């Protein structure tokens, strides 16, 4: 499934290299636990279409599609952070290629945290996300 991520802002940033990252949010402190794991690949788009797209390439057993909205909102959250080096990604394809799901322990918040961690890591690898200075 391919989805266009509609974003706005004044300054689009292009991705020049492919970056892979994994976000894991697993906590097993008492019942219920927490489990959310996602693997992302950010790559330059093959077309001239300027929007950033999301490609959902996981099975229901890896990450159920009901968590798709949480993943999309978390990607947009990271792109809106001050540490991101632009207003939006242009000409980029974000591929969700892996993940883990647990019937009892996987919650929306787990995938939100895992996606934020993975996006920050991938953008950091691409040189588009700078760490925040401590206050």
């Amino acid at each position: 499934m391919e989805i266009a991520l509609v974003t706005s802002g004044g300054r689009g940033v292009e991705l020049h290299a492919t970056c892979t990252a994994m976000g894991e949010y697993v906590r097993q402190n008492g019942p219920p636990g927490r489990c959310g794991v996602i693997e992302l690949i950010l790559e330059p788009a093959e077309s001239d279409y300027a929007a950033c797209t999301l490609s959902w390439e996981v099975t229901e057993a890896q990450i159920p599609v009901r968590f798709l909205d949480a993943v999309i909102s978390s990607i947009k959250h990271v792109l809106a952070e001050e540490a991101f080096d632009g207003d939006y990604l242009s000409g980029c394809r974000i591929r969700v290629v892996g993940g883990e799901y647990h019937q009892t322990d996987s919650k929306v918040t787990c995938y939100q945290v895992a996606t934020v961690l993975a996006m920050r890591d991938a953008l950091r690898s691409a040189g588009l996300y700078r760490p925040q200075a401590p206050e």
Side-chain angles (χ1 to χ4, degrees):
M1 169 180 355
E2 196 87 17
I3 302 164
L5 298 177
V6 180
T7 55
S8 61
R11 192 167 60 94
V13 177
E14 289 186 30
L15 185 71
H16 297 289
T18 300
C19 303
T20 303
M22 182 173 285
E24 295 183 23
Y25 183 72
V26 179
R27 303 288 184 267
Q28 297 302 318
N29 299 349
R34 299 286 184 245
C35 178
V37 178
I38 190 166
E39 184 178 359
L40 303 175
I41 298 175
L42 275 62
E43 61 188 16
E46 296 176 4
S47 70
D48 292 334
Y49 183 59
C52 182
T53 60
L54 175 72
S55 180
W56 189 257
E57 301 174 16
V58 290
T59 65
E60 279 286 307
Q62 291 174 302
I63 304 174
V65 74
R66 71 175 181 266
F67 296 111
L68 177 60
D69 286 341
V71 171
I72 291 172
S73 66
S74 297
I75 289 170
K76 288 183 176 185
H77 172 79
V78 172
L79 297 179
E81 289 179 334
E82 196 172 305
F84 174 60
D85 198 28
D87 293 319
Y88 63 92
L89 279 173
S90 64
C92 175
R93 184 174 179 215
I94 302 171
R95 297 172 54 208
V96 178
V97 296
E100 291 181 27
Y101 168 73
H102 187 274
Q103 187 174 358
T104 305
D105 295 342
S106 292
K107 310 282 186 253
V108 169
T109 54
C110 301
Y111 287 101
Q112 289 172 327
V113 172
T115 302
V116 166
L117 295 172
M119 275 299 292
R120 286 177 180 163
D121 190 36
L123 291 171
R124 200 174 291 116
S125 296
L128 299 175
Y129 191 91
R130 58 196 181 301
Q132 303 238 324
E135 295 180 12

